[in-house]
């Protein structure tokens, strides 16, 4: 029998803008040996698979195909991007009811097919849908760490980008996170922002800039408004979330123990209610393997608590 012990299989469920941008990035980055694509619209998944496959001679061998839930039985990771898209002016929380049913159905079907993958939820509102997915998966025997959401990995990347542009330095050296909801109540954590270990305020001072309240408020607003700004211009966001998902997939498939701001069960941490939201998490082969809930400044902790309350309230509509 063929030895497939090295194989890494990723299933992508939902081949719209986000699913296809992610699959494309995944193929280029060669993080998986097998990529299976699923969509309610089977022909769309087939079209995407063909389009990707035609690039394989220029990238390297990989098994890319359109499949069904049975193909998820041996997937290491299932990335869920199935659902409705955010329309201009529509808030993420308005998408809730429509997408909750889809998320629950997808998780049930993968588990019914015999799969025990790590689930990476992306469909919005991602924090609420991560909670929904957890509530389906855990009673069916999946460890809680194996279900988490992309959360604010993208928002943290946007935050880092804006800081790097302001100070004129390589964004890879900029360390800054956004915690809480992937959405309007998210929290930019200024107290821990640093550039290669040097506090951001210090770097800015040396650059002749002030990390004052007005600056922080404007940048936090720009981070929060980023998705609206893009959707207003191109109708959807997909490219950077595709890259962000690859970064998370890399951490899981490579068992990298990376600390990433993914959405996880946060109940009881920082006094939070029963919600999923983004905290700095240790991400490895088992999914979320730990949460680094280090102290925050009082105003940041209060904002995080408020974000948790917003999510808790919004999920009440599901009952
Ligand atoms: P899209 O409309 O282009 O694609 C959604 C796809 O899901 C469609 O192809 C549709 O056929 C498919 N689908 C619907 N129901 C399905 C089901 N039951 N099973 C399988 N497939 C199903 O939308 P998009 O632009 O790709 O966005 C997808 C989701 O990702 C949205 O909820 C969007 O808000 C979200 N999103 C999240 C982030 C993030 O950071 N978490 C970033 C961008 C977009």
């Amino acid at each position: 029998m063929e030895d497939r012990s090295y194989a890494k299989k990723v299933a992508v469920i939902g081949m719209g803008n986000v699913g296809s941008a992610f699959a494309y990035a995944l193929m280029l980055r060669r993080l998986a040996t097998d990529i299976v694509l699923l969509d309610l619209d089977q022909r769309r998944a087939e079209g995407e698979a063909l389009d990707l496959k035609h690039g394989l001679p220029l990238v390297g061998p990989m098994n890319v195909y359109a499949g069904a839930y049975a193909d998820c039985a041996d997937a290491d990771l299932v990335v869920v991007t199935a659902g409705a898209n955010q329309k201009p002016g529509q808030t993420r929380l308005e998408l809730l009811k429509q997408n909750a049913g889809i998320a629950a159905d997808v998780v049930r079907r993968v588990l019914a097919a015999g799969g025990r993958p790590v689930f990476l939820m992306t469909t919005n509102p991602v924090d609420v849908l991560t909670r929904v997915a957890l509530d389906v998966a855990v009673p069916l025997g999946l460890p809680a760490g194996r279900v988490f959401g992309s959360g604010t990995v993208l928002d943290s990347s946007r935050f880092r980008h804006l800081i790097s542009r302001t100070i004129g330095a390589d964004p890879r050296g900029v360390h800054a996170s956004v915690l809480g909801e992937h959405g309007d109540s998210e929290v930019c954590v200024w107290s821990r922002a640093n550039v290669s270990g040097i506090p951001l305020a210090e770097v800015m001072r040396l650059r002749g800039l002030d990390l004052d309240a007005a600056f922080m408020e404007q940048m936090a607003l720009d981070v929060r408004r980023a998705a609206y700004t893009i959707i207003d211009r191109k109708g959807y966001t997909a490219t950077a979330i595709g890259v962000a998902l690859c970064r998370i997939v890399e951490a899981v498939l490579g068992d990298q123990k990376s600390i990433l701001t993914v959405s996880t069960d946060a109940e009881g941490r920082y006094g939070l209610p029963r919600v999923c939201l983004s905290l700095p998490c240790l991400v490895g082969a088992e999914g979320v393997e730990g949460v680094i809930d280090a102290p925050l400044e009082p105003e940041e902790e209060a904002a995080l608590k408020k974000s948790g309350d917003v999510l808790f309230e919004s999920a009440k509509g599901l009952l």
Side-chain angles (χ1 to χ4, degrees):
M1 211 169 86
E2 189 194 1
D3 176 18
R4 298 265 307 154
S5 56
Y6 61 87
K8 294 286 181 198
K9 184 171 188 176
V10 176
V12 191
I13 303 185
M15 285 311 298
N17 301 310
V18 174
S20 41
F22 163 61
Y24 177 56
L26 185 66
M27 181 187 90
L28 290 184
R29 293 209 47 205
R30 304 181 66 182
L31 296 172
T33 52
D34 301 75
I35 305 175
V36 58
L37 311 179
L38 280 78
D39 197 286
L40 204 55
D41 179 353
Q42 173 72 9
R43 282 175 60 79
R44 180 162 192 171
E46 286 169 8
E48 287 295 342
L50 272 176
D51 208 0
L52 289 169
K53 272 196 256 201
H54 295 162
L56 291 177
L58 310 169
V59 174
M62 235 171 286
N63 187 24
V64 182
Y65 63 105
Y69 279 94
D71 298 295
C72 298
D74 59 346
D76 298 284
L77 196 79
V78 172
V79 180
V80 182
T81 70
N85 197 10
Q86 190 177 18
K87 307 290 181 303
Q90 184 183 31
T91 71
R92 289 189 178 98
L93 294 178
E94 284 165 1
L95 289 168
L96 171 64
K97 281 193 178 164
Q98 199 176 354
N99 288 333
I102 297 174
D105 187 53
V106 164
V107 172
R108 267 190 217 107
R109 283 173 179 234
V110 170
L111 296 179
R116 281 185 64 81
V118 168
F119 283 95
L120 172 50
M121 307 303 295
T122 308
T123 311
N124 278 321
V126 66
D127 301 293
V128 179
L129 299 191
T130 302
R131 182 76 259 170
V132 168
L134 260 171
D135 289 348
V136 171
V138 171
L140 293 172
L142 204 71
R146 285 190 161 252
V147 182
F148 64 96
S150 55
T152 55
V153 172
L154 173 59
D155 313 69
S156 296
S157 185
R158 287 174 173 150
F159 189 27
R160 294 169 62 194
H161 161 73
L162 290 176
I163 293 173
S164 87
R165 210 183 52 183
T166 304
I167 60 173
D170 183 345
R172 291 172 302 178
V174 175
H175 301 285
S177 1
V178 177
L179 303 182
E181 179 198 7
H182 168 64
D184 296 341
S185 70
E186 66 190 22
V187 184
C188 288
V189 182
W190 293 100
S191 64
R192 293 184 190 153
N194 71 84
V195 183
S196 299
I198 308 162
L200 177 62
E202 195 62 25
V203 176
M204 286 189 54
R205 194 182 58 75
L206 293 168
R207 294 292 226 183
L209 300 161
D210 250 351
L211 183 59
D212 57 22
F215 174 88
M216 291 192 283
E217 204 173 301
Q218 183 59 49
M219 191 172 281
L221 185 67
D222 290 345
V223 174
R224 255 195 331 270
R225 299 295 309 169
Y228 296 103
T229 308
I230 298 167
I231 290 167
D232 189 46
R233 285 157 175 77
K234 65 177 262 192
Y236 60 90
T237 70
T239 314
I241 183 62
V243 176
L245 289 171
C246 278
R247 176 66 193 96
I248 302 167
V249 168
E250 181 184 32
V252 174
L253 297 184
D255 193 22
Q256 290 182 340
K257 319 290 187 199
S258 303
I259 294 177
L260 298 169
T261 56
V262 293
S263 186
T264 192
D265 184 2
E267 187 176 7
R269 298 179 189 276
Y270 301 99
L272 286 162
R274 192 172 183 278
V275 289
C276 287
L277 52 65
S278 286
L279 295 172
C281 295
L282 195 80
V283 181
E286 287 302 312
V288 170
E289 298 180 1
V291 179
I292 316 292
D293 42 7
L296 293 166
E297 290 298 314
E299 65 276 15
E300 291 167 344
E301 188 165 334
L304 184 62
K305 176 82 175 53
K306 202 168 148 200
S307 187
D309 292 343
V310 166
L311 283 165
F312 188 73
E313 283 303 314
S314 72
K316 274 188 179 165
L318 277 181
L319 298 173

